[in-house]
Structures are given as C-alpha cells and as structure tokens.
Amino acid sequence: MVLDLLKKRRSIRRFKPDTVSSADLQTLQEAVLRSPSSRGRNPWEFIFVTDAELRGRLSRAKLHGAEFLAQAPLAVAVIADPKKCDVWIEDCSIAAILLQITAESLGLGSCWAQMRLRDHDAQTSAEDYLRQVLELPPDYRVPFILGIGHPAEAPPGHPREALNWDKIHFNRFGSREEPQP
Ligand SMILES: Cc1cc2nc3c(=O)[nH]c(=O)nc-3n(C[C@H](O)[C@H](O)[C@H](O)COP(=O)(O)O)c2cc1C
C-alpha cells in the first residue's frame, strides 16, 4: 500500500556509509524513467552521482541545506532541457517524488536539496555552479538534487492527527462538509 509508505516517509539527512546496491540502483533508474510528463516529452535527465569527491562538491552548491549530499552514498541530480517542455519544473518534481517513494519502498531514506532560485555565493547561482561541476550543456537546468542512502536516523512519521486537515475543502473553498456518497 502506497499510504503505508507515505505514513512512514520523512526526510532523511543522515546516512550509514553503506552503498546503495546495484539492484536498488537499477530499480531507482527504472522508477524515474516511468514518470509521467506533460505530453510525454520527458524533458528530464538524471545524473546518478556516487563519487564521494563529486558529492562533496554538490553539497557545497548552496550556502545552506545541501550538506547531507556529502554523506548520502547516492546523489541524484535532476536536470532538464527547458526547451523540451514549458512545464519542465512540474515534470522534474513528479520524477523526484517518485524517486523518493521508490527509495522508501526499498528501505532507503532520501531528502531533497533545492537548487533552483538558490545562490552558491554572492556572484554565482547554485545552478551555474552545478552546471560547471556536472559539466552540463549551457542551457540545462538543475532544479534540485536528491540525496539517497541507508538511513542513520529514524524520525517518526507524521501522526494522522497532526496533518493539516483544514487544507481539505469539498466542492467550494471553505466547505468542510464531506459529501455523502
Ligand atoms: C521543494 C522542496 C525543497 C526542499 N529543499 C530542501 C533543502 O534544500 N534542504 C533540505 O534539507 N531539505 C529540503 N526539503 C525537505 C523539507 O525540508 C521537508 O520535506 C519538510 O521539512 C517536511 O519534512 P518531512 O519531509 O520529514 O515530512 C525540501 C522539500 C521540498 C519539497
């Protein structure tokens, strides 16, 4: 059940040193390639980064919030050619959440590191820095990178009663009355 996975899922930023097995790597690759995309244009591509030195450089792409990429045994940079589709951000985001849920199903933990709209330093955007580190063609975008690995922390899933149920409306904004079937 997908809901059982979602009940357990939390962002994981601390990882054991164990590498991700090649069987799990294969599963993750297949999962992202099965992502739906607008008009089936598949504007995304994925760079699976296992090299520790390279992951260290990815972890320094922005000022804060990407440090965990150095420790995660696998970083997946989601990249896209925006010329292929006007809604490339949506397409990339869908692929990312499928990757995170598939990782969860394999007993792996993951966390998203936002790169689009973030700075590397006062002069350079995180994406410009990453284009150089990952040797991307100049027009390619790097909206985010996911860190994946065997969890070394186990934050509890969000309790059902803590969910923002007031974000759910029925038929019209503000109507909380669930229609009877
Ligand atoms: C679009 C997006 C951007 C995020 N960016 C980062 C980030 O740069 N660094 C980070 O540590 N976590 C990042 N996260 C993870 C969120 O902080 C996390 O999902 C949120 O705090 C809820 O916690 P949970 O995933 O454990 O439920 C991001 C999540 C999303 C969906």
Side-chain angles (χ1 to χ4, degrees), residues 47-145:
I47 305 186
F48 282 65
V49 181
T50 53
D51 180 83
E53 193 269 330
L54 208 44
R55 284 188 290 99
R57 292 170 73 190
L58 300 183
S59 76
R60 296 188 290 277
K62 61 176 181 172
L63 301 169
H64 310 285
E67 298 84 354
F68 61 88
L69 294 176
Q71 208 201 18
L74 171 65
V76 180
V78 179
I79 63 171
D81 180 352
K83 291 190 299 310
K84 292 205 171 124
C85 186
D86 56 350
V87 292
W88 63 274
I89 300 174
E90 289 84 343
D91 291 337
C92 288
S93 302
I94 288 166
I97 195 64
L98 289 185
L99 193 60
Q100 289 198 276
I101 298 303
T102 305
E104 186 77 33
S105 77
L106 296 169
L108 300 168
S110 69
C111 189
W112 181 307
Q114 180 70 22
M115 297 299 170
R116 190 178 69 90
L117 305 177
R118 299 291 178 262
D119 290 327
H120 172 65
D121 59 25
Q123 287 80 38
T124 315
S125 71
E127 286 195 81
D128 279 342
Y129 169 88
L130 288 165
R131 266 188 281 275
Q132 185 252 323
V133 171
L134 296 169
E135 301 177 17
L136 299 184
D139 292 346
Y140 270 58
R141 302 294 305 265
V142 197
F144 42 82
I145 300 177

